Amino acid sequence: MATLVIKNIGTIVSGDITKPILEGSVIVVEDNLISAIGGEELLANIGDATVVDANGTTVTPGLWDTHVHVTTADGYGTRQKTFGFIESAKNGGVTTMISAGECHFPGRPKDPAGTKALAVVGHKSFANAKPAGVKVEGGALIMEKGLVEKDFEDLSKEGVWVVGEIGLGSVNNPELAAPMVEWAHKYGFKVQMHTGGTSIPGSSTVTADDVIKTKPDVVSHINGGPTAIPEHEVDRIMDETPFAMEIVQCGNPKIATYVLKRATEKGQLGRVIFGNDAPSGTGIIPLGIMRNISFAASMGGIEPAVAVAMATGNPAKVYDRLNRGTIAVGKEADLLIMDAPMGSVADDALGAFAAGDLPGLSYVIIDGKINVKKSSNTPPAKRKPC
């Protein structure tokens, strides 16, 4: 049994929005799961273990990017013709990615058999490959006209469980989508829905009324991908539905700020999740999820540890078949060690987020194994683990 011990932790950020900071300075990992969280008493009987001294810095869960348009499991971003974007995102702290639909796949099939085949291939390819170690939930089904209930049953048996954002395919209105969403939910799928203006040729403009009638699980890019719905439509989604509200980096910052402030007023921060919506026409943003956290903490008035939960524990509640996203006993040990970056006014990682800076990311740990020592993309940390 492989054991990893992280000691001398300054702050443990749980990812759980109801209790964002944990007491303790030590995390013990056995095999790929967190087995204990506490103080130095845990060091007494660790036996043969790999020990990392966090040097007083911050540990958080690995970040989630809930809106990625992946194409192939080798990490090629077709939209921007770029290799390695998944590994680059890992160097921005992302350890889990959720496909929003492989819409940029060259020659993407748009018939029922083809869209089903693409979903199965995407799901199984990413499950087998795990590019750069990142856990990519690929193969999100793009809804096309002609799909029937049996198709969702068949896909579920093959392991497919996510519907990509409704509006990318020919199913682009509530009359067509709502019955399919019912089928999808019957067979255990989580459903995303494009919200806002048209993003790429072939996609559709989607209003708050469309979302309310369709009843997805996730309001994809509520702040626009890249064009946003107006504030009064945000109000309707927030007031009339329980759906997760996804803020993306490749969206409208004014509406992102509005969502954060109104969600704070209404006690709905637990509904907010973070994505990139990339690769897209906006580009590829390896530090996009960290930038979302920093934006929420520095410009949206959100406590930094709560903002971290929007990129970890909040999406884990939506995509709840995945055993990760928070630092808790029994969870998969996807962890980050970070600190304030050199030159920052802040003293630690949470202070950096509050100041509008990006922390220096030192370690990325996936399934209890050290995957990155010193990020290639963030500024260097003031203090480094050893």
Side-chain angles (χ1 to χ4, degrees), residues 109-130:
K110 299 180 181 179
D111 60 295
T115 199
K116 286 174 61 182
L118 180 60
V120 172
V121 169
H123 171 74
K124 294 189 175 184
S125 295
F126 281 102
N128 291 334
K130 288 187 174 60

Side-chain angles (χ1 to χ4, degrees), residues 69-350:
H69 290 297
V70 291
T71 46
T72 58
D74 60 359
Y76 182 68
T78 305
R79 179 77 168 170
Q80 292 293 341
K81 299 180 173 57
T82 303
F83 275 108
F85 82 93
I86 294 175
E87 182 171 11
S88 197
K90 178 185 68 179
N91 278 271
V94 172
T95 57
T96 292
M97 289 181 167
I98 306 292
S99 171
E102 281 83 339
C103 56
H104 303 313
F105 192 90
R108 177 173 69 83
K110 299 180 181 179
D111 60 295
T115 199
K116 286 174 61 182
L118 180 60
V120 172
V121 169
H123 171 74
K124 294 189 175 184
S125 295
F126 281 102
N128 291 334
K130 288 187 174 60
V134 176
K135 299 172 180 179
V136 180
E137 299 298 322
L141 174 69
I142 298 175
M143 283 188 176
E144 300 288 359
K145 292 179 181 177
L147 289 169
V148 297
E149 181 177 346
K150 184 66 163 56
D151 293 323
F152 291 87
E153 180 182 11
D154 292 344
L155 286 167
S156 178
K157 290 177 180 177
E158 294 300 327
V160 179
W161 63 286
V162 177
V163 172
E165 52 178 320
I166 297 169
L168 293 177
S170 56
V171 175
N172 54 17
N173 61 65
E175 290 71 26
L176 294 171
M180 292 189 183
V181 170
E182 289 186 7
W183 298 333
H185 285 156
K186 179 179 178 179
Y187 294 103
F189 283 73
K190 296 296 183 178
V191 180
Q192 310 162 6
M193 187 166 186
H194 178 101
T195 309
T198 302
S199 57
I200 60 173
S203 66
S204 304
T205 296
V206 177
T207 67
D209 195 57
D210 294 330
V211 172
I212 291 165
K213 291 177 179 177
T214 303
K215 300 179 181 178
D217 299 287
V218 176
V219 182
S220 296
H221 47 61
I222 193 169
N223 66 316
T227 306
I229 55 176
E231 291 177 359
H232 70 269
E233 292 202 16
V234 171
D235 293 346
R236 287 199 64 198
I237 289 172
M238 201 172 290
D239 295 344
E240 298 177 33
T241 81
F243 314 141
M245 302 180 293
E246 180 186 73
I247 290 174
V248 298
Q249 181 67 201
C250 299
N252 180 318
K254 179 179 179 180
I255 296 300
T257 304
Y258 183 78
V259 171
L260 291 169
K261 291 185 175 179
R262 194 164 189 271
T264 299
E265 293 168 1
K266 294 181 67 64
Q268 295 186 9
L269 292 177
R271 293 175 59 184
V272 179
I273 62 177
F274 287 155
N276 255 321
D277 193 5
S280 66
T282 304
I284 293 172
I285 311 174
L287 301 179
I289 302 304
M290 274 197 173
R291 290 177 65 86
N292 284 350
I293 297 169
S294 181
F295 179 85
S298 63
M299 303 300 292
I302 308 298
E303 287 293 326
V306 170
V308 170
M310 295 172 180
T312 55
N314 283 8
K317 290 177 183 176
V318 178
Y319 298 99
D320 54 6
R321 71 167 58 189
L322 302 177
N323 185 33
R324 58 188 101 117
T326 58
I327 296 180
V329 172
K331 294 294 185 180
E332 294 170 18
D334 299 344
L335 304 167
L336 309 178
I337 304 178
M338 62 179 74
D339 195 28
M342 294 177 66
S344 175
V345 298
D347 295 322
D348 60 15
L350 294 182

Side-chain angles (χ1 to χ4, degrees), residues 28-52:
V28 180
V29 176
E30 293 180 308
D31 287 340
N32 68 321
L33 302 178
I34 297 170
S35 61
I37 304 162
E40 292 190 358
E41 72 278 358
L42 297 177
L43 302 175
N45 298 301
I46 60 173
D48 184 18
T50 299
V51 179
V52 174

